[in-house]
């Protein structure tokens, strides 16, 4: 083992880990703390470990083949399923980007004391594309250093909230290592499912498999390939541990301060502190519901204006960093699936336009104070796209014709298959629970029709995956 070599391979894992710290994850964290207290910390730990194992497969694919996941899909799948797969992944990137851009816009709104509206924050966030292009022009290592700086800001800001609130350390440890949820009902169960859906991002598999290509590896030398796989895995462990600690900060702050609080409790405190946002919380005994915006407001009411502004800075860092990695994902996916060879500027312009246009419409026609439901919808949207990243990555890393001597062994085939089945089942429960709450017959019928089409395509990908895993009798002689 060499720290010098680890440093040489450090970078891609930290860029990948930003998807575990985007505003959608932060919102899921704070809702988990407010709804279930410390009881779901073990779910966050489990989801992060599962995410690490799946990211390992994506990184190995990029290191061994020299191709990222979208390029391998382009080579291995037929044209029609390849186009559908591209559209599904593009949809996941749009959903993720909407969360990230709106998270940044909310942070800007909080920092400007409401003077900059949501749509203004979105326009400012769009400008980060030019920052991204500027940094990328000066080399990947400088870009990686900038992302490291943003992660440090998140650690410091959310760490400040943690120190200010002083969560009960005994309850934190119990929540982390005792997989049990006492007196939990449907809201807590749905929140647990939401944590898994928010942590494991479909487009992140495509991103990580592409980022590892930035390091020079002699793929004809098995020892060098094995060494690269080892150091990328160690780096991913460190990066996801850092992101996990930051997520822990957010969950425990809201678990300690706002678990079992009612709207009336918060309304009274905000009124006494002369907060201009006290009208956000009706004076009733319903359980407090928080999102990124309201979360910052209640922190300000309870712990002073400094807590609100430091929260907003952390959210801004999360939004800016994840928006830029989303831009990277969009480029790799479009380049790989469509075999585009455009200039970097043209690709960034197209992918940002596709992702940001619907976000701008939402920002213009929606109030910053009423965005809670949209985050739930976007989490459902990305949950639906998970099979279109997880199934291909398991398929190709199990094929000797693609991975040669580095193809998955029996353990990884079985473990990978079970993990993907577990994640897809959990997320389908999340989707069913969301659709059930719509209470509209037309939407039920539409959801039923789309479900048949969706499940048919998932079944097709699963069929090819099972053949790759060794069920050759399914190949029907082909």
């Amino acid at each position: 083992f060499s720290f010098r070599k680890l440093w040489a391979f450090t970078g891609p894992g930290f860029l990948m880990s930003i998807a575990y710290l985007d505003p959608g994850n932060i919102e899921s964290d704070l809702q988990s703390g407010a709804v279930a207290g410390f009881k779901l910390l073990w779910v966050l730990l489990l989801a992060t470990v599962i995410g690490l194992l799946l990211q390992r497969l994506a990184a190995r694919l990029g290191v061994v083949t020299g191709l990222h996941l979208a390029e391998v899909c382009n080579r291995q799948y037929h044209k029609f399923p390849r186009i559908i797969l591209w559209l599904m992944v593009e949809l996941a990137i749009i959903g993720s980007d909407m969360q990230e851009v709106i998270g940044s816009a909310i942070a800007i709104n909080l920092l400007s004391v409401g003077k900059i509206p949501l749509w203004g924050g979105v326009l400012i966030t769009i400008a980060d594309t030019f920052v991204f292009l500027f940094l990328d022009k000066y080399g990947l290592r400088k870009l990686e250093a900038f992302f490291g700086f943003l992660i440090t800001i998140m650690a410091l800001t959310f760490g400040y909230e943690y120190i200010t609130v002083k969560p009960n350390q005994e309850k934190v440890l119990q929540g982390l290592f005792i997989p049990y949820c006492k007196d939990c009902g449907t809201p807590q169960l749905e929140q647990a499912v939401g944590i898994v859906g928010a942590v494991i991002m479909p487009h992140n598999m495509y991103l990580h498999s592409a980022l590892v290509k930035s390091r020079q590896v002699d793929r004809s030398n098995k020892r060098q390939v094995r060494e690269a796989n080892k150091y990328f895995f160690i780096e991913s462990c460190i990066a996801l541990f850092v992101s996990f600690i930051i997520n822990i900060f957010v969950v425990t702050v809201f678990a300690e301060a706002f678990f079992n609080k009612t709207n009336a409790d918060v309304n009274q405190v905000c009124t006494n502190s002369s907060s201009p946002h006290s009208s956000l919380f009706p004076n009733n005994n319903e359980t407090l519901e928080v999102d990124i915006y309201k979360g910052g407001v209640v922190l300000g009411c309870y712990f002073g204006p400094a807590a609100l502004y430091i929260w907003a800075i952390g959210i801004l860092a999360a939004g800016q960093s994840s928006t830029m990695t989303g831009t990277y994902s969009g480029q790799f996916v479009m380049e790989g699936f469509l075999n585009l060879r455009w200039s970097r500027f043209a690709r960034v312009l197209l992918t940002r336009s596709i992702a940001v246009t619907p976000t701008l419409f939402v920002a213009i026609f929606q109030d910053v104070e009423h965005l809670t439901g949209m985050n739930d919808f976007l989490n459902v949207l990305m949950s639906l796209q998970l099979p279109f990243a997880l199934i291909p990555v398991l398929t190709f890393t199990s094929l000797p014709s693609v991975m040669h001597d580095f193809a998955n062994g029996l353990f990884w085939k079985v473990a990978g298959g079970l993990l993907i089945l577990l994640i897809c089942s959990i997320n389908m429960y999340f989707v069913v629970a969301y659709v059930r709450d719509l209470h509209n017959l037309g939407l039920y019928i539409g959801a039923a029709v789309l479900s048949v089409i969706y499940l048919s395509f998932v079944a097709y990908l699963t069929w090819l995956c099972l053949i790759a895993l060794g069920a050759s009798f399914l190949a029907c002689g082909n």
Side-chain angles (χ1 to χ4, degrees):
F1 178 81
S2 162
F3 280 105
R4 187 188 295 272
K5 285 185 179 177
L6 178 61
W7 177 249
F9 285 102
T10 295
F14 280 90
L15 266 68
M16 167 275 294
S17 74
I18 283 167
Y20 292 72
L21 293 168
D22 72 345
N25 267 294
I26 301 298
E27 184 154 329
S28 174
D29 290 340
L30 65 90
Q31 288 173 346
S32 165
V35 170
F38 299 92
K39 299 171 188 174
L40 296 179
L41 286 173
W42 64 273
V43 178
L44 178 62
L45 174 61
L46 184 64
T48 306
V49 171
I50 292 173
L52 172 65
L53 297 178
L54 293 171
Q55 296 295 161
R56 175 186 180 272
L57 294 180
R60 282 172 67 85
L61 180 70
V63 171
V64 174
T65 64
L67 303 168
H68 57 73
L69 182 54
E71 291 172 325
V72 179
C73 288
N74 187 19
R75 295 187 179 203
Q76 297 289 332
Y77 287 130
H78 293 299
K79 186 176 181 180
F80 182 67
R82 189 170 70 229
I83 291 172
I84 295 176
L85 201 57
W86 168 64
L87 291 172
M88 293 297 100
V89 177
E90 205 65 62
L91 206 57
I93 292 171
I94 291 170
S96 174
D97 217 44
M98 286 181 74
Q99 285 183 318
E100 292 152 4
V101 172
I102 285 180
S104 295
I106 287 172
I108 291 168
N109 183 272
L110 285 170
L111 287 169
S112 67
V113 201
K115 288 185 173 63
I116 299 176
L118 195 64
W119 59 266
V122 170
L123 291 176
I124 292 170
T125 306
I126 291 171
D128 69 25
T129 302
F130 298 102
V131 176
F132 163 78
L133 282 171
F134 175 78
L135 286 168
D136 194 53
K137 181 182 175 184
Y138 287 94
L140 187 62
R141 290 298 273 185
K142 289 185 175 61
L143 186 68
E144 290 168 352
F146 179 65
F147 280 118
F149 171 68
L150 292 175
I151 291 172
T152 304
I153 290 176
M154 283 184 263
L156 293 174
T157 51
F158 297 134
Y160 169 85
E161 308 289 0
Y162 184 85
I163 293 168
T164 302
V165 176
K166 299 183 180 68
N168 185 312
Q169 299 304 302
E170 186 181 339
K171 289 182 179 177
V172 172
L173 292 173
Q174 285 177 351
L176 275 174
F177 300 112
I178 300 176
Y180 181 65
C181 193
K182 187 180 180 182
D183 301 324
C184 287
T186 303
Q188 288 77 20
L189 182 59
E190 290 182 359
Q191 197 58 53
V193 173
I195 290 171
V196 178
V199 165
I200 301 168
M201 296 279 193
H203 64 280
N204 215 30
M205 301 293 153
Y206 291 87
L207 176 67
H208 199 194
S209 64
L211 291 172
V212 295
K213 290 171 57 182
S214 62
R215 301 304 191 265
Q216 293 297 320
V217 178
D218 181 3
R219 290 179 177 82
S220 62
N221 186 325
K222 289 181 186 177
R223 188 186 63 80
Q224 280 198 31
V225 173
R226 193 173 288 110
E227 185 177 72
N229 282 329
K230 178 180 77 173
Y231 283 111
F232 277 129
F233 181 62
I234 293 170
E235 187 232 2
S236 296
C237 289
I238 296 168
L240 288 188
F241 177 74
V242 172
S243 71
F244 174 68
I245 294 298
I246 295 171
N247 282 316
I248 287 288
F249 287 160
V250 179
V251 176
T252 52
V253 162
F254 282 82
E256 181 68 36
F258 307 115
F259 177 53
N260 275 341
K261 287 283 192 298
T262 64
N263 285 324
D265 296 333
V266 178
N267 180 282
Q268 185 179 357
V269 174
C270 287
T271 303
N272 292 340
S273 64
S274 304
S275 168
H277 305 289
S278 55
S279 58
L280 274 176
F281 309 99
N283 197 7
N284 59 38
N285 288 323
E286 291 182 15
T287 305
L288 174 68
E289 289 186 8
V290 284
D291 51 27
I292 288 177
Y293 182 75
K294 291 178 183 175
V297 170
V298 293
L299 283 171
C301 291
Y302 276 79
F303 304 104
L308 186 152
Y309 293 123
I310 289 170
W311 169 261
I313 290 168
I315 296 297
L316 185 62
Q320 292 293 305
S321 56
S322 52
T323 300
M324 286 193 272
T325 54
T327 304
Y328 246 148
S329 301
Q331 286 183 70
F332 292 135
V333 164
M334 189 168 283
E335 181 187 80
F337 276 110
L338 305 184
N339 204 21
L340 289 179
R341 288 294 177 266
W342 293 0
S343 70
R344 172 63 59 90
F345 181 81
R347 276 184 285 137
V348 169
L349 190 64
L350 179 61
T351 52
R352 295 298 287 149
S353 301
I354 290 171
V356 167
T357 302
T359 312
L360 197 54
F361 278 107
V362 169
I364 291 169
F365 297 109
Q366 183 67 285
D367 196 294
V368 69
E369 299 169 5
H370 303 97
L371 287 169
T372 309
M374 195 193 75
N375 191 63
D376 293 338
F377 170 75
L378 292 173
N379 277 338
V380 168
L381 180 69
M382 285 184 288
S383 297
L384 281 169
Q385 313 311 320
L386 267 173
F388 307 125
L390 303 186
I391 295 174
V393 81
L394 180 62
T395 301
F396 301 134
T397 53
S398 300
L399 276 175
S401 59
V402 174
M403 298 289 286
H404 309 295
D405 293 342
F406 294 93
N408 292 330
L410 180 62
F411 171 80
W412 276 101
K413 288 179 180 178
V414 174
L418 290 175
L419 286 178
I420 290 170
L421 180 62
L422 174 67
I423 291 164
C424 292
S425 301
I426 287 172
N427 283 290
M428 285 310 295
Y429 171 86
F430 187 36
V431 171
V432 169
Y434 182 83
V435 171
R436 190 181 60 224
D437 291 340
L438 295 175
H439 305 299
N440 185 301
L441 181 62
L443 291 174
Y444 288 154
I445 294 170
V449 173
L450 288 173
S451 295
V452 171
I453 300 169
Y454 171 83
L455 291 172
S456 300
F457 188 55
V458 171
Y460 170 77
L461 294 179
T462 305
W463 171 60
L464 294 178
C465 183
L466 289 171
I467 294 171
L469 292 174
S472 53
F473 63 91
L474 294 173
C476 305
N478 294 320

